[in-house]
Protein backbone atom coordinates (compact mmCIF):
# COMPACT_ATOMS: atom_id res chain seq x y z
CA UNK A 1 0.00 0.00 0.00
CA UNK A 2 1.58 3.25 -1.11
CA UNK A 3 0.58 6.64 0.32
CA UNK A 4 3.94 8.30 -0.49
CA UNK A 5 3.64 12.07 -0.84
CA UNK A 6 -0.02 12.16 0.19
CA UNK A 7 -1.60 14.93 2.19
CA UNK A 8 -4.45 14.21 4.62
CA UNK A 9 -5.80 17.74 5.11
CA UNK A 10 -8.71 16.95 7.44
CA UNK A 11 -7.37 14.00 9.37
CA UNK A 12 -7.19 10.25 8.92
CA UNK A 13 -8.65 7.33 10.85
CA UNK A 14 -7.43 3.79 10.22
CA UNK A 15 -8.68 2.42 13.53
CA UNK A 16 -8.23 -1.37 13.82
CA UNK A 17 -7.11 -1.73 10.20
CA UNK A 18 -4.70 -4.44 9.09
CA UNK A 19 -1.98 -4.02 6.46
CA UNK A 20 -1.11 -7.50 5.20
CA UNK A 21 1.94 -6.24 3.28
CA UNK A 22 4.27 -3.23 3.42
CA UNK A 23 2.68 0.14 4.15
CA UNK A 24 4.46 3.19 2.70
CA UNK A 25 3.76 6.64 4.12
CA UNK A 26 6.96 8.39 3.02
CA UNK A 27 6.90 12.21 2.86
CA UNK A 28 3.25 12.15 3.84
CA UNK A 29 1.62 15.07 5.63
CA UNK A 30 -1.05 14.55 8.28
CA UNK A 31 -3.14 17.48 9.52
CA UNK A 32 -5.64 17.89 12.39
CA UNK A 33 -5.53 14.29 13.66
CA UNK A 34 -4.45 10.78 12.75
CA UNK A 35 -5.66 7.58 14.37
CA UNK A 36 -3.62 4.40 13.91
CA UNK A 37 -4.96 2.81 17.11
CA UNK A 38 -5.08 -1.00 17.05
CA UNK A 39 -3.67 -1.07 13.52
CA UNK A 40 -1.67 -4.17 12.65
CA UNK A 41 1.28 -3.76 10.32
CA UNK A 42 1.98 -7.29 9.07
CA UNK A 43 4.73 -5.99 6.76
CA UNK A 44 7.21 -3.17 7.05
CA UNK A 45 5.84 0.27 7.91
CA UNK A 46 7.69 3.27 6.50
CA UNK A 47 7.01 6.89 7.50
CA UNK A 48 10.35 8.34 6.37
CA UNK A 49 10.30 12.14 6.05
CA UNK A 50 6.65 12.50 7.01
CA UNK A 51 5.13 15.40 8.94
CA UNK A 52 2.48 15.01 11.63
CA UNK A 53 0.85 18.46 11.92
CA UNK A 54 -1.73 16.83 14.18
CA UNK A 55 -2.62 19.56 16.65
CA UNK A 56 -5.53 17.53 18.06
CA UNK A 57 -4.21 14.01 18.40
CA UNK A 58 -1.94 11.37 16.92
CA UNK A 59 -2.58 7.87 18.20
CA UNK A 60 -0.72 4.61 17.69
CA UNK A 61 -2.26 3.11 20.85
CA UNK A 62 -2.15 -0.70 20.86
CA UNK A 63 -0.79 -0.74 17.31
CA UNK A 64 1.38 -3.73 16.37
CA UNK A 65 4.47 -3.45 14.17
CA UNK A 66 5.45 -7.04 13.37
CA UNK A 67 8.40 -6.08 11.15
CA UNK A 68 10.83 -3.16 11.04
CA UNK A 69 9.28 0.29 11.02
CA UNK A 70 10.99 3.51 9.99
CA UNK A 71 10.17 6.94 11.42
CA UNK A 72 13.44 8.42 10.12
CA UNK A 73 13.43 12.27 9.98
CA UNK A 74 9.74 12.35 10.88
CA UNK A 75 8.54 15.56 12.53
CA UNK A 76 5.91 15.40 15.28
CA UNK A 77 4.50 18.92 15.67
CA UNK A 78 1.90 18.06 18.30
CA UNK A 79 1.09 15.41 20.91
CA UNK A 80 1.60 11.75 20.02
CA UNK A 81 0.58 8.59 21.83
CA UNK A 82 2.10 5.11 21.52
CA UNK A 83 0.46 3.62 24.62
CA UNK A 84 0.64 -0.18 24.73
CA UNK A 85 2.09 -0.17 21.22
CA UNK A 86 4.10 -3.29 20.32
CA UNK A 87 7.27 -2.90 18.29
CA UNK A 88 7.98 -6.55 17.58
CA UNK A 89 10.49 -5.57 14.91
CA UNK A 90 13.18 -2.89 15.20
CA UNK A 91 12.01 0.72 15.18
CA UNK A 92 14.19 3.45 13.68
CA UNK A 93 13.48 6.96 14.97
CA UNK A 94 16.80 8.37 13.80
CA UNK A 95 16.47 12.10 13.18
CA UNK A 96 12.83 12.17 14.34
CA UNK A 97 11.89 15.54 15.84
CA UNK A 98 9.39 16.05 18.62
CA UNK A 99 8.66 19.77 18.62
CA UNK A 100 6.55 20.45 21.71
CA UNK A 101 5.57 17.10 23.25
CA UNK A 102 7.27 13.89 24.26
CA UNK A 103 5.53 10.75 22.93
CA UNK A 104 3.40 8.86 25.44
CA UNK A 105 4.95 5.40 25.84
CA UNK A 106 3.04 3.98 28.79
CA UNK A 107 2.88 0.20 28.41
CA UNK A 108 4.70 0.24 25.06
CA UNK A 109 6.90 -2.72 24.18
CA UNK A 110 10.04 -1.40 22.49
CA UNK A 111 12.35 -3.59 20.45
CA UNK A 112 15.85 -3.98 21.88
CA UNK A 113 17.30 -2.38 18.72
CA UNK A 114 15.23 0.79 18.85
CA UNK A 115 17.21 3.69 17.35
CA UNK A 116 16.69 7.19 18.78
CA UNK A 117 18.59 10.43 18.19
CA UNK A 118 19.38 11.79 21.67
CA UNK A 119 20.27 15.41 20.87
CA UNK A 120 18.66 18.51 22.28
CA UNK A 121 17.54 19.90 18.92
CA UNK A 122 15.32 16.85 18.38
CA UNK A 123 13.43 17.02 21.69
CA UNK A 124 11.48 19.75 23.49
CA UNK A 125 13.32 21.35 26.37
CA UNK A 126 11.69 21.80 29.76
CA UNK A 127 11.03 25.44 28.79
CA UNK A 128 9.17 24.93 25.50
CA UNK A 129 7.46 21.64 26.34
CA UNK A 130 3.66 21.96 26.21
CA UNK A 131 3.03 18.81 28.20
CA UNK A 132 2.22 17.66 31.69
CA UNK A 133 5.65 17.34 33.39
CA UNK A 134 4.66 13.95 34.85
CA UNK A 135 3.99 12.57 31.36
CA UNK A 136 7.23 13.98 29.96
CA UNK A 137 9.21 12.62 32.92
CA UNK A 138 7.68 9.14 32.48
CA UNK A 139 8.65 9.09 28.80
CA UNK A 140 12.22 10.19 29.52
CA UNK A 141 12.49 7.46 32.15
CA UNK A 142 11.35 4.80 29.66
CA UNK A 143 13.76 6.03 26.98
CA UNK A 144 16.63 6.22 29.49
CA UNK A 145 16.05 2.59 30.48
CA UNK A 146 15.87 1.60 26.81
CA UNK A 147 19.20 3.26 26.05
CA UNK A 148 20.82 1.73 29.15
CA UNK A 149 19.65 -1.72 28.07
CA UNK A 150 21.49 -1.19 24.78
CA UNK A 151 24.62 0.03 26.54
CA UNK A 152 24.26 3.50 25.01
CA UNK A 153 25.35 5.50 28.05
CA UNK A 154 25.64 8.94 26.39
CA UNK A 155 22.09 8.68 25.05
CA UNK A 156 20.86 7.32 28.38
CA UNK A 157 22.37 10.26 30.25
CA UNK A 158 20.67 12.68 27.83
CA UNK A 159 17.26 11.33 28.81
CA UNK A 160 18.35 11.15 32.47
CA UNK A 161 19.05 14.91 32.38
CA UNK A 162 15.64 15.59 30.84
CA UNK A 163 14.03 13.30 33.40
CA UNK A 164 15.64 15.28 36.22
CA UNK A 165 14.53 18.58 34.67
CA UNK A 166 10.91 17.48 34.75
CA UNK A 167 11.34 15.97 38.23
CA UNK A 168 12.07 19.52 39.45
CA UNK A 169 8.62 20.55 38.19
CA UNK A 170 6.63 17.65 39.62
CA UNK A 171 7.75 17.54 43.24
CA UNK A 172 7.46 19.96 46.13
CA UNK A 173 9.64 23.04 46.48
CA UNK A 174 11.88 21.30 49.03
CA UNK A 175 12.33 18.25 46.82
CA UNK A 176 13.21 20.49 43.88
CA UNK A 177 16.09 22.21 45.72
CA UNK A 178 18.59 19.30 45.62
CA UNK A 179 17.69 18.63 41.97
CA UNK A 180 18.30 22.28 41.17
CA UNK A 181 21.67 22.21 42.98
CA UNK A 182 22.62 19.02 41.14
CA UNK A 183 21.89 20.86 37.88
CA UNK A 184 23.73 24.08 38.77
CA UNK A 185 26.85 22.37 40.11
CA UNK A 186 27.35 19.70 37.43
CA UNK A 187 24.47 19.61 34.88
CA UNK A 188 23.26 16.41 36.57
CA UNK A 189 26.73 14.86 36.57
CA UNK A 190 27.33 15.42 32.85
CA UNK A 191 29.58 18.48 32.91
CA UNK A 192 33.30 18.25 33.63
CA UNK A 193 33.86 22.01 33.44
CA UNK A 194 31.22 23.14 35.96
CA UNK A 195 32.70 21.36 39.01
CA UNK A 196 36.12 22.86 38.21
CA UNK A 197 34.57 26.33 37.92
CA UNK A 198 32.91 25.95 41.32
CA UNK A 199 36.13 24.58 42.83
CA UNK A 200 38.06 27.57 41.47
CA UNK A 201 35.48 30.01 42.88
CA UNK A 202 35.63 28.40 46.34
CA UNK A 203 39.42 28.49 46.19
CA UNK A 204 39.66 32.15 45.22
CA UNK A 205 36.86 33.23 47.54
CA UNK A 206 38.45 31.55 50.55
CA UNK A 207 41.91 32.91 49.67
CA UNK A 208 40.59 36.50 49.49
CA UNK A 209 38.99 36.16 52.92
CA UNK A 210 42.17 34.74 54.46
CA UNK A 211 44.19 37.51 52.84
CA UNK A 212 41.82 40.17 54.20
CA UNK A 213 41.48 38.95 57.79
CA UNK A 214 44.87 37.38 58.53
CA UNK A 215 48.52 38.34 58.19
CA UNK A 216 49.14 35.62 55.60
CA UNK A 217 50.75 36.59 52.31
CA UNK A 218 48.92 36.23 49.03
CA UNK A 219 50.56 32.90 48.20
CA UNK A 220 50.06 31.50 51.69
CA UNK A 221 46.38 32.49 51.56
CA UNK A 222 46.04 30.62 48.28
CA UNK A 223 47.85 27.61 49.76
CA UNK A 224 45.69 27.47 52.88
CA UNK A 225 42.50 27.82 50.83
CA UNK A 226 43.39 24.99 48.43
CA UNK A 227 44.50 22.75 51.29
CA UNK A 228 41.07 23.21 52.91
CA UNK A 229 39.36 22.21 49.66
CA UNK A 230 41.66 19.25 48.99
CA UNK A 231 42.01 17.93 52.52
CA UNK A 232 42.18 14.39 51.14
CA UNK A 233 45.72 15.18 49.86
CA UNK A 234 47.02 15.68 53.42
CA UNK A 235 48.39 19.16 52.65
CA UNK A 236 46.45 20.67 55.53
CA UNK A 237 47.92 18.33 58.15
CA UNK A 238 51.45 18.56 56.69
CA UNK A 239 51.88 22.31 56.28
CA UNK A 240 49.11 24.24 58.02
CA UNK A 241 48.27 22.77 61.49
CA UNK A 242 49.94 25.59 63.43
CA UNK A 243 48.39 28.30 61.28
CA UNK A 244 44.91 26.80 61.54
CA UNK A 245 45.26 26.48 65.32
CA UNK A 246 45.82 30.26 65.61
CA UNK A 247 42.89 31.27 63.38
CA UNK A 248 39.77 32.82 64.93
CA UNK A 249 36.72 30.58 65.11
CA UNK A 250 35.09 32.26 62.11
CA UNK A 251 37.97 31.43 59.79
CA UNK A 252 38.17 27.90 61.18
CA UNK A 253 34.49 27.56 60.32
CA UNK A 254 35.25 28.85 56.81
CA UNK A 255 37.94 26.19 56.38
CA UNK A 256 35.53 23.45 57.46
CA UNK A 257 32.88 24.80 55.09
CA UNK A 258 35.38 24.72 52.22
CA UNK A 259 36.18 21.08 52.99
CA UNK A 260 32.49 20.16 53.00
CA UNK A 261 31.77 22.06 49.81
Amino acid sequence: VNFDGSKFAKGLSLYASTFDSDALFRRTKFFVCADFSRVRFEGEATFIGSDFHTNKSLKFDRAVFKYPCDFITVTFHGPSSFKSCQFIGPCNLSGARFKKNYPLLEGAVLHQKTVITAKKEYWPSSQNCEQNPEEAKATCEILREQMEAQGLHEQAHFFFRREMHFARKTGSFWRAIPNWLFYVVSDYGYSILLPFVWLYNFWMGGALIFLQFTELTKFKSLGLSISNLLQITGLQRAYWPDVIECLPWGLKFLGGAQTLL
Side-chain angles (χ1 to χ4, degrees):
V1 178
N2 191 331
F3 288 100
D4 286 354
S6 298
K7 182 185 293 185
F8 295 96
K10 296 185 178 181
L12 171 68
S13 177
L14 293 171
Y15 180 85
S17 300
T18 299
F19 291 90
D20 288 325
S21 58
D22 295 348
L24 306 180
F25 289 89
R26 293 172 296 199
R27 301 177 305 282
T28 303
K29 295 184 182 296
F30 301 85
F31 293 89
V32 185
C33 60
D35 191 356
F36 289 88
S37 300
R38 296 182 181 273
V39 171
R40 293 185 63 87
F41 294 93
E42 300 287 345
E44 293 188 14
T46 304
F47 291 84
I48 295 175
S50 293
D51 277 297
F52 289 96
H53 295 271
T54 47
N55 56 340
K56 287 190 176 180
S57 67
L58 167 61
K59 294 183 178 181
F60 283 89
D61 297 346
R62 296 185 181 278
V64 178
F65 295 89
K66 292 191 68 175
Y67 290 93
C69 58
D70 290 321
F71 288 86
I72 299 172
T73 66
V74 170
T75 302
F76 298 88
H77 294 269
S80 56
S81 177
F82 293 83
K83 291 182 178 180
S84 300
C85 186
Q86 295 185 51
F87 294 95
I88 299 174
C91 177
N92 192 336
L93 284 157
S94 177
R97 293 178 181 270
F98 295 86
K99 291 287 191 177
K100 297 180 180 179
N101 299 75
Y102 287 79
L104 300 181
L105 298 173
E106 180 185 349
V109 179
L110 300 175
H111 190 272
Q112 61 181 358
K113 293 298 182 182
T114 300
V115 178
I116 297 172
T117 301
K119 296 182 179 179
K120 62 181 181 180
E121 58 266 30
Y122 294 93
W123 298 88
S125 66
S126 57
Q127 287 75 31
N128 68 358
C129 185
E130 299 180 353
Q131 193 174 10
N132 183 318
E134 286 281 2
E135 293 179 347
K137 177 178 176 292
T139 295
C140 292
E141 183 178 355
I142 292 170
L143 294 176
R144 171 180 58 79
E145 293 174 348
Q146 179 69 21
M147 295 299 99
E148 287 175 347
Q150 297 184 43
L152 302 174
H153 304 299
E154 282 284 329
Q155 292 89 328
H157 205 284
F158 172 83
F159 290 110
F160 169 73
R161 298 195 298 275
R162 293 300 172 94
E163 181 185 345
M164 296 299 289
H165 270 300
F166 290 112
R168 281 164 44 195
K169 295 187 174 185
T170 58
S172 65
F173 172 77
W174 298 110
R175 289 180 61 188
I177 289 177
N179 283 348
W180 181 81
L181 288 173
F182 190 18
Y183 167 67
V184 169
V185 171
S186 66
D187 192 15
Y188 301 115
Y190 185 71
S191 174
I192 296 175
L193 177 62
L194 277 176
F196 278 102
V197 170
W198 282 103
L199 185 65
Y200 177 81
N201 290 336
F202 292 145
W203 177 30
M204 288 295 131
L208 288 173
I209 294 174
F210 289 130
L211 183 64
Q212 181 71 26
F213 295 100
T214 69
E215 297 180 356
L216 295 174
T217 64
K218 178 171 64 175
F219 291 107
K220 287 186 176 181
S221 297
L222 289 169
L224 178 58
S225 183
I226 196 68
S227 69
N228 289 335
L229 288 169
L230 304 178
Q231 195 181 87
I232 191 172
T233 61
L235 291 173
Q236 194 182 67
R237 295 188 300 273
Y239 298 104
W240 304 100
D242 296 335
V243 174
I244 294 173
E245 188 65 31
C246 297
L247 292 176
W249 72 268
L251 295 182
K252 289 180 179 178
F253 179 83
L254 171 63
Q258 283 185 294
T259 301
L260 290 174
L261 289 171

